């Protein structure tokens, strides 16, 4: 398999963190990782558009020659396709709860955070839109409140005692936020402690650029 990716961007980072977490559990991935330079527009070239007509990253090329173009779908595929300990729980109710947490983070934080960064200080050089950035920053607060409430029971990770896909998602988008040199976490002590502790973990600490 081949994984087409790019540093810093949050969706590729989510998959990168996922791979690191499972490798730390002893899993082995036969995946060639290929960087597509978005700053030079390589994601808009015909070669990449043939993999993904949207031009986005990451993209996982399967051994069959087929492509998976959404980060969470890539993670779901690898959960099923690669033997060894997984990040999603085995029990059906626990799995549903974990997926629900990840979905809330996706819908209430990640989607707005991606827009916020490009409106505040776009790594792709898009024009700033500070009023829109402020609107998005305000909307994200409810999502952060949700995560703060989860972490306030003393759990080590967002979903519970073990790292999960939710941690990968949240950490990837908080790194993207830091690119803007702004901090939307505020006075949420539990979330701030989790953010620092997660980035310092041996399995992932060398992956963070900011």
């Amino acid at each position: 398999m081949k994984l087409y990716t790019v540093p810093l961007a949050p969706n590729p980072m989510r998959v990168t963190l996922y791979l690191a977490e499972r490798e730390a559990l002893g899993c082995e991935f036969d995946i060639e990782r290929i960087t597509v330079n978005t700053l030079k527009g390589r994601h808009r070239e015909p070669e990449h558009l043939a993999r993904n007509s949207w031009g986005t990253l990451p993209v996982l090329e399967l051994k069959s020659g087929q492509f998976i173009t959404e980060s969470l779908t890539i993670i779901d595929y690898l959960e099923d396709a690669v033997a060894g300990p997984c990040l999603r729980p085995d029990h059906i109710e626990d799995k549903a709860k974990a997926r629900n947490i990840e979905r809330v983070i996706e819908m209430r934080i990640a989607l707005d955070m991606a827009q916020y960064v490009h409106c505040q200080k776009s790594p792709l050089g898009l024009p700033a839109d500070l009023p829109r950035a402020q609107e998005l920053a305000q909307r994200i607060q409810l999502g952060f409140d949700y995560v703060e409430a989860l972490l306030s029971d003393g759990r080590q990770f967002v979903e519970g005692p073990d790292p999960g896909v939710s941690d990968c998602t949240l950490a990837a988008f908080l790194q993207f936020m830091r690119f803007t040199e702004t901090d939307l976490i505020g006075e949420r002590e539990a979330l701030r402690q989790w953010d620092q502790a997660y980035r310092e973990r041996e399995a992932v600490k060398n992956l963070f650029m900011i």
Side-chain angles (χ1 to χ4, degrees), residues 7 19 21 36 39 46 80 88 90 116 126 149 157 163 181 188 202 210:
L19 292 171
E21 291 288 5
V36 178
L39 295 179
D80 293 333
R88 299 210 188 275
D90 293 327
Y116 168 81
L126 300 177
F157 298 100
E181 299 178 347
R188 298 176 179 89
E202 192 65 32
I210 299 175

Side-chain angles (χ1 to χ4, degrees), residues 35-198:
T35 298
V36 178
N37 192 328
T38 54
L39 295 179
K40 292 185 177 181
R42 300 289 188 249
H43 60 302
R44 294 191 296 269
E45 294 180 348
E47 184 178 6
H48 185 67
L49 293 175
R51 306 179 194 114
N52 177 9
S53 58
W54 303 109
T56 56
L57 295 157
V59 173
L60 181 67
E61 182 177 351
L62 307 181
K63 293 180 180 179
S64 66
Q66 298 297 306
F67 298 99
I68 302 177
T69 60
E70 295 294 329
S71 56
L72 286 179
T73 310
I74 290 171
I75 288 172
D76 284 342
Y77 174 81
L78 295 175
E79 285 280 282
D80 293 333
V82 178
C86 293
L87 293 197
R88 299 210 188 275
D90 293 327
H91 188 274
I92 187 170
E93 183 173 324
D94 292 338
K95 183 177 292 186
K97 288 160 57 179
R99 284 182 178 273
N100 193 72
I101 291 170
E102 204 287 332
R103 185 62 174 164
V104 171
I105 292 172
E106 172 85 2
M107 298 300 295
R108 307 300 179 185
I109 298 175
L111 295 180
D112 284 343
M113 184 67 78
Q115 292 186 55
Y116 168 81
V117 170
H118 286 294
C119 289
Q120 182 76 24
K121 180 186 174 184
S122 174
L124 297 178
L126 300 177
D129 184 344
L130 297 185
R132 177 61 173 161
Q134 292 176 355
E135 176 187 344
L136 291 163
Q138 185 59 41
R139 287 189 2 183
I140 290 168
Q141 299 308 304
L142 288 176
F144 280 163
D145 286 344
Y146 170 81
V147 177
E148 177 75 5
L150 290 175
L151 294 169
S152 293
D153 67 3
R155 64 183 67 187
Q156 183 177 359
F157 298 100
V158 177
E159 296 171 10
D162 301 308
V165 177
S166 299
D167 298 280
C168 301
T169 298
L170 186 56
F173 280 86
L174 288 182
Q175 176 186 241
F176 203 43
M177 176 193 73
R178 285 188 288 270
F179 176 79
T180 67
E181 299 178 347
T182 60
D183 184 346
L184 304 182
I185 295 176
E187 300 301 319
R188 298 176 179 89
E189 182 178 351
L191 176 55
R192 192 169 296 283
Q193 288 178 351
W194 169 87
D195 180 40
Q196 181 176 351
Y198 186 81

